[in-house]
Amino acid sequence: MKRWAGRLAEALITLWLLATLCFVLLRAAPGGPFDTEKAAPPEVQAALAAQYRLDRPLPAQYAAWLGDVARGDLGPSFQYPDYRVTQLIAGALPVSALNGGLALLLALALGIPLGVWAALRAERWSDRVLMFGAGLGLAVPKFVAAPLLVLLFAVTLHWLPAGGWGDWRHVALPVIALALPNIAYCARLTRASMLETLSADYLKAARARGLSETRLLLAHALRPALLPVAAWLSPALINVVTGSAVVEQVFGIPGMGRYFVQGALNRDYTLVLGVVLVVGALIVAINTAVDALRAWLDPRLREAG
């Protein structure tokens, strides 16, 4: 209980520091949310500033925003005046969670078997071809991969829509674009970890006692080989979250990443801060879940904790 209370305190302090840094950087950036309203009469500009508390000193704005957050209100959106930020995020979060979750599952479902298969065929031509493909997948950035997928599957083959949001056909290309580098990294990581595990002394002894290669792999090698993959889940999640901003823009998906980009471009302070807070909380929660998974896979971590 004491350990989890400490983790909760660390999480709250991390989120506060993250939100404070983002608040300061947004206010320090040139321009403002109502720069296009400069042609409006002064009384209209004053009313807008008063409505969004921009007429107050910066510390007062910060204190008022923190008070709203403590009450569960992320404030009104500057860019979408008819909506609260919580309403926008409530609509966008399921979209981004679906894309990111499916991309991560696809990366694990393909990356782990491919990595194991490559380790069992180490230094053969099939292993080298697979690792070359994985290197290529890591080298191609998402802002290149996403338009190439659109060009191939939407424009040339007409199999899938080029953008928008609706049924499963709109999900396929964004998920593949997000998953590609993670599949490549997961396969390389699994291969390296499996090769190291297969050369361990206890597996050599088990092999000498006559255990079949299938039993060695499934009962003795797979679990320890997956420890580095479990530890990689946290940076993989961050990779998916940051990549979603690019992918959602390319495919016109109404998710958190797209709101973040549009909010930053239009100086929608409350929308950007809201997205940062929610994404930060999700990353903290999933890091905790990953730590629990690693402790389940390796009892030594439970004893050390």
Side-chain angles (χ1 to χ4, degrees), residues 170-191:
H170 295 87
V171 178
L173 290 183
V175 167
I176 293 172
L178 271 176
L180 276 178
N182 291 310
I183 294 172
Y185 193 86
C186 184
R188 290 170 66 97
L189 186 62
T190 304
R191 176 186 180 274

Side-chain angles (χ1 to χ4, degrees), residues 110-132 134 186-192 194-195 198:
L110 292 180
I112 291 175
L114 287 174
V116 172
W117 186 76
L120 296 177
R121 290 160 178 74
E123 302 306 326
R124 300 181 188 175
W125 68 268
S126 53
D127 170 45
R128 291 173 181 168
V129 169
L130 183 60
M131 288 302 104
F132 175 78
C186 184
R188 290 170 66 97
L189 186 62
T190 304
R191 176 186 180 274
M194 182 58 75
L195 281 176
L198 288 175

Side-chain angles (χ1 to χ4, degrees), residues 209-272:
R209 289 199 298 272
L211 267 67
S212 68
E213 290 297 322
T214 304
R215 187 175 177 187
L216 277 175
L217 177 67
L218 298 179
H220 300 286
L222 189 57
R223 185 166 173 168
L226 289 182
L227 276 173
V229 178
W232 163 76
L233 286 176
S234 292
L237 171 71
I238 296 172
N239 185 285
V240 166
V241 169
T242 55
S244 68
V246 175
V247 171
E248 290 176 4
Q249 278 292 110
V250 172
F251 291 98
I253 298 172
M256 299 274 285
R258 192 178 184 202
Y259 276 137
F260 178 81
V261 173
Q262 291 183 350
L265 292 175
N266 293 291
R267 301 293 185 273
D268 192 338
Y269 299 146
T270 49
L271 182 57
V272 173

Side-chain angles (χ1 to χ4, degrees), residues 64 76 98 105 192 218 230 301 303:
L98 178 64
L105 285 177
L218 298 179
L301 295 177
E303 295 167 2

Side-chain angles (χ1 to χ4, degrees), residues 2 19 38 41 43 59 62 64 78 80 85 88 141 164 182 195 199 205 214 217 220 225 259 271 295:
K2 184 178 179 181
K38 284 183 177 177
E43 56 271 20
Y62 177 66
F78 290 41
Y80 306 95
V85 171
L88 296 174
N182 291 310
L195 281 176
S199 64
T214 304
L217 177 67
H220 300 286
Y259 276 137
L271 182 57

Side-chain angles (χ1 to χ4, degrees), residues 4-235:
W4 291 109
R7 293 292 297 267
L8 178 61
E10 288 178 8
L12 291 176
I13 292 172
T14 301
L15 290 177
W16 172 69
L17 289 174
L18 179 67
T20 301
L21 179 63
C22 189
F23 184 93
V24 172
L25 290 177
L26 279 172
R27 293 307 197 278
F34 301 117
D35 283 356
T36 57
E37 310 292 340
K38 284 183 177 177
E43 56 271 20
V44 173
Q45 296 183 37
L48 284 173
Q51 180 181 351
Y52 293 98
R53 303 168 178 164
L54 296 176
D55 56 342
R56 303 182 186 179
L58 201 57
Q61 293 181 38
Y62 177 66
W65 178 75
L66 276 185
D68 288 343
V69 172
R71 291 190 293 273
D73 182 9
L74 297 175
S77 168
F78 290 41
Q79 186 183 357
Y80 306 95
D82 295 332
Y83 294 91
R84 309 293 290 181
V85 171
T86 45
Q87 292 175 294
L88 296 174
I89 290 179
L93 184 58
V95 175
S96 294
L98 178 64
N99 276 331
L102 288 177
L104 208 52
L105 285 177
L106 183 62
L108 293 173
L110 292 180
I112 291 175
L114 287 174
V116 172
W117 186 76
L120 296 177
R121 290 160 178 74
E123 302 306 326
R124 300 181 188 175
W125 68 268
S126 53
D127 170 45
R128 291 173 181 168
V129 169
L130 183 60
M131 288 302 104
F132 175 78
L136 197 62
L138 283 173
V140 178
K142 295 182 183 71
F143 62 83
V144 174
L148 287 178
L149 289 172
V150 171
L151 187 63
L152 176 61
F153 291 102
V155 178
T156 305
L157 299 175
H158 301 287
W159 288 356
L160 295 167
W165 187 248
D167 56 22
W168 68 270
R169 297 172 72 249
H170 295 87
V171 178
L173 290 183
V175 167
I176 293 172
L178 271 176
L180 276 178
N182 291 310
I183 294 172
Y185 193 86
C186 184
R188 290 170 66 97
L189 186 62
T190 304
R191 176 186 180 274
S193 178
M194 182 58 75
L195 281 176
E196 184 179 350
T197 304
L198 288 175
S199 64
D201 291 339
Y202 75 95
L203 280 181
K204 292 178 182 175
R207 190 177 288 110
R209 289 199 298 272
L211 267 67
S212 68
E213 290 297 322
T214 304
R215 187 175 177 187
L216 277 175
L217 177 67
L218 298 179
H220 300 286
L222 189 57
R223 185 166 173 168
L226 289 182
L227 276 173
V229 178
W232 163 76
L233 286 176
S234 292

